[in-house]
Amino acid sequence: IGNLSYLRELRMDNNFVGGSLPTTLGDLKSLITLRLESNDLHGIIPTTLSNAVNLQYLHLWSNYLSGTLNSHIGKLTQINEFFLDDNELTGTIPSQIGKLLNATYISLANNYFDGVIPSELGNLQNLEKLELHYNNLYGQVPVTLVDIPLVQLQLQGNYLYGDIPVGMCESTSMQYISANCAATRRPTPSPTSKSIGTIDTNFALPSPTASPTFEYRWSCNCCTYCFPYY
């Protein structure tokens, strides 16, 4: 397949394609769209894929891909949509994800990523939707996310703690926040906060051994903290 040097779009989504991703995908220098979601693909994401530097739409979600996300992804600077959700990926999210400057939608949800949320995501000035929910991420929500025009942020199902950065609540673009935070207090929302569509929070201890979480959903004025509704 690597000999198809003029191929611009490859779609084999929603089939029963098995096996592993060919390393020769990286030879497709003209490739713009790669859609292999909803298949039975196994194995790692080859580092050579980052050589397909004109990729704009990478959809590999809903497979059985494993291993780590290599730092080479930073070479995919033309990426618009980066979907790796619903796989079995592990390790940390590399800081080089902050080089995907054209990305508008990133989803790494429903994997086994651990470590902290990279602050370098704040470099992505075109990013509108960020989905990191249901992983093993811990730490605080980076304040750098305030600097990007997010419309939707999903973080629930992790081991995050602390406050939602105040600027997210004052953003004119934010419509939906779904978060998983540990709270020991229920502070008062900022009087200057603005209404955003929905805040969706889970209340959990920041520990992999924590008891099951309880989910709370409500629509209200944006609160600058993550805490259970009661």
Side-chain angles (χ1 to χ4, degrees):
I1 195 169
N3 293 326
L4 304 177
S5 56
Y6 295 103
L7 186 66
R8 294 170 58 87
E9 183 171 351
L10 175 59
R11 295 191 58 169
M12 300 177 67
D13 48 301
N14 293 286
N15 282 290
F16 297 96
V17 179
S20 58
L21 292 171
T23 58
T24 51
L25 285 173
D27 296 332
L28 303 178
K29 308 299 185 185
S30 299
L31 192 64
I32 292 175
T33 301
L34 178 60
R35 297 196 56 170
L36 299 175
E37 72 267 20
S38 298
N39 281 297
D40 294 315
L41 294 169
H42 290 72
I44 65 171
I45 300 173
T47 58
T48 52
L49 183 59
S50 62
N51 294 328
V53 293
N54 287 303
L55 262 180
Q56 296 180 26
Y57 303 95
L58 178 60
H59 291 211
L60 299 178
W61 51 276
S62 194
N63 279 289
Y64 300 94
L65 298 172
S66 57
T68 60
L69 187 57
N70 195 278
S71 61
H72 287 81
I73 63 163
K75 296 168 62 178
L76 298 175
T77 56
Q78 301 303 310
I79 280 288
N80 185 285
E81 295 179 354
F82 189 69
F83 296 168
L84 300 181
D85 44 306
D86 294 306
N87 279 289
E88 298 175 356
L89 299 169
T90 58
T92 59
I93 301 173
S95 61
Q96 288 79 6
I97 199 169
K99 295 182 178 180
L100 308 184
L101 299 180
N102 287 301
T104 62
Y105 197 161
I106 292 177
S107 182
L108 303 178
N110 291 296
N111 280 287
Y112 299 99
F113 288 113
D114 56 28
V116 300
I117 299 173
S119 60
E120 289 82 3
L121 284 167
N123 297 332
L124 307 184
Q125 294 299 309
N126 294 303
L127 190 62
E128 296 178 353
K129 295 183 180 181
L130 177 60
E131 299 177 352
L132 301 176
H133 51 290
Y134 296 110
N135 279 288
N136 295 317
L137 300 169
Y138 55 81
Q140 296 185 320
V141 180
V143 69
T144 54
L145 295 186
V146 172
D147 300 328
I148 57 180
L150 283 174
V151 173
Q152 176 178 306
L153 175 65
Q154 294 197 58
L155 301 174
Q156 74 272 20
N158 285 290
Y159 301 104
L160 303 172
Y161 62 88
D163 303 336
I164 295 175
V166 61
M168 288 187 178
C169 300
E170 296 174 348
S171 168
T172 57
S173 62
M174 184 69 77
Q175 297 178 8
Y176 182 84
I177 299 175
S178 183
N180 172 276
C181 300
T184 56
R185 67 197 192 286
R186 187 173 188 240
T188 304
S190 166
T192 61
S193 60
K194 299 179 181 179
S195 177
I196 63 174
T198 302
I199 299 179
D200 191 4
T201 71
N202 293 330
F203 180 53
L205 296 175
S207 166
T209 59
S211 58
T213 64
F214 299 90
E215 187 169 310
Y216 301 86
R217 297 172 181 267
W218 77 98
S219 295
C220 63
N221 286 336
C222 181
C223 305
T224 62
Y225 299 90
C226 188
F227 52 81
Y229 177 67
Y230 56 90

